[in-house]
Amino acid sequence: MYAMLLNLNLTVFPLSCEYENGVFVRGSTRGDGSVGEDVTENLMTIKSLPKRIPNAPEYLEVRGEVYMSFNSFDALTRRQEENEEKTFKNPRNAAAGSLRQKNAKITAQRSLDIFVFNIQQIRGMTIESHIQGLDYLTELGFPTAFYSVYDNVDEVIEEIERIGNMRGELDYAIDGAVVKVDSFASRRLLGSTAKYPKWAEAYKYPPEEKPTKLLNIEIKCRQNRCAYSCRQL
């Protein structure tokens, strides 16, 4: 039986951050998998992302996910409504739009955050498992989302159900959990199909359902005189 790592799958905006001798030098979106968008200047405005890390390796590339908390999203929506600006539909769209802003000063006003979930490349030390990499990132001061290692499937299933039951208490959106074989050597042994790794499995939670209050129904007419209803929720 392989040791299994469980972590959260956030409804957010993935990207890559590069460090040389402990200094943050470049940030880019995932793009098409080969070519991404340079968002270094905007990432510099995110307070939770370390700009310098102590006792760092020669080179470090980490994968992370930028997100906007529900509280920050609500505050942004209120400001946009007060200024009669177009509002974002959800926190994910708000995070993506804010990170791609041409003006980094606007990005700085959006209160973005980041979780780092993986070491993509490292020079100067050897990492042999995912949990070792996450523990190392935590030591360096990177913010990481929930993660833990389990030795049997029953524990994993129980934890997935526990997270699903409490996700409404989180201040950020998640749509699932991901289970991965922890050891990199075991991952290489298991290999991948043409599309998916054989050492990982994603679990999707059903959409959250919450009661909505119907405030009003308006009947309007189009130019062709056909009537239609508009509901205010």
Side-chain angles (χ1 to χ4, degrees):
M1 175 64 70
Y2 299 105
M4 293 166 285
L5 176 84
L6 175 69
N7 55 10
L8 304 181
N9 189 33
L10 280 71
T11 311
V12 289
F13 193 73
L15 46 76
S16 172
C17 300
E18 298 175 64
Y19 292 77
E20 295 178 359
N21 297 313
V23 179
F24 173 55
V25 295
R26 191 178 302 105
S28 56
T29 65
R30 187 167 58 183
D32 61 4
S34 299
V35 179
E37 200 176 329
D38 191 319
V39 289
T40 307
E41 189 174 355
N42 289 346
L43 283 172
M44 291 290 290
T45 70
I46 299 179
K47 295 179 181 179
S48 54
L49 177 68
K51 311 306 183 295
R52 290 180 176 271
I53 49 180
N55 304 316
E58 175 188 348
Y59 175 80
L60 176 67
E61 179 187 357
V62 300
R63 288 287 174 88
E65 298 180 310
V66 167
Y67 70 97
M68 182 177 290
S69 70
F70 292 134
N71 284 335
S72 295
F73 177 69
D74 291 342
L76 173 62
T77 300
R78 286 194 297 271
R79 291 199 303 270
Q80 290 175 323
E81 290 175 343
E82 290 170 359
N83 297 327
E84 298 183 349
E85 299 171 349
K86 184 178 180 180
T87 59
F88 290 104
K89 291 183 178 180
N90 53 55
R92 187 190 187 286
N93 288 0
S98 301
L99 193 62
R100 286 172 151 160
Q101 271 286 338
K102 300 298 183 183
N103 186 347
K105 291 182 180 179
I106 296 178
T107 305
Q109 298 170 359
R110 299 285 175 83
S111 300
L112 296 177
D113 264 306
I114 188 171
F115 280 132
V116 171
F117 61 84
N118 186 39
I119 293 178
Q120 193 67 15
Q121 296 185 68
I122 189 169
R123 290 198 296 267
M125 69 177 299
T126 301
I127 301 293
E128 297 182 348
S129 70
H130 201 148
I131 192 73
Q132 181 189 356
L134 287 170
D135 286 345
Y136 178 60
L137 290 173
T138 301
E139 289 176 12
L140 292 178
F142 287 95
T144 55
F146 168 86
Y147 64 90
S148 190
V149 169
Y150 302 91
D151 293 321
N152 67 71
V153 174
D154 291 338
E155 290 179 346
V156 172
I157 294 173
E158 183 178 330
E159 188 62 22
I160 288 174
E161 292 176 349
R162 187 191 69 83
I163 293 171
N165 291 332
M166 53 80 71
R167 62 178 172 146
E169 302 171 15
L170 300 174
D171 194 29
Y172 49 87
I174 65 171
D175 59 10
V178 183
V179 184
K180 306 173 184 177
V181 171
D182 184 43
S183 164
F184 294 152
S186 297
R187 291 183 184 184
R188 289 190 292 270
L189 183 65
L190 290 169
S192 303
T193 67
K195 293 184 177 181
Y196 306 107
K198 295 180 180 179
W199 42 265
E201 187 69 38
Y203 178 85
K204 291 287 184 182
Y205 293 118
E208 287 189 273
E209 296 181 357
K210 294 183 179 180
T212 301
K213 185 176 182 180
L214 178 62
L215 302 177
N216 192 23
I217 298 178
E218 294 183 6
I219 304 299
K220 298 184 178 182
C221 289
R222 297 189 175 94
Q223 291 181 349
N224 61 5
R225 298 184 181 178
C226 291
Y228 66 97
S229 63
C230 290
R231 287 159 289 181
Q232 296 179 359
L233 304 177

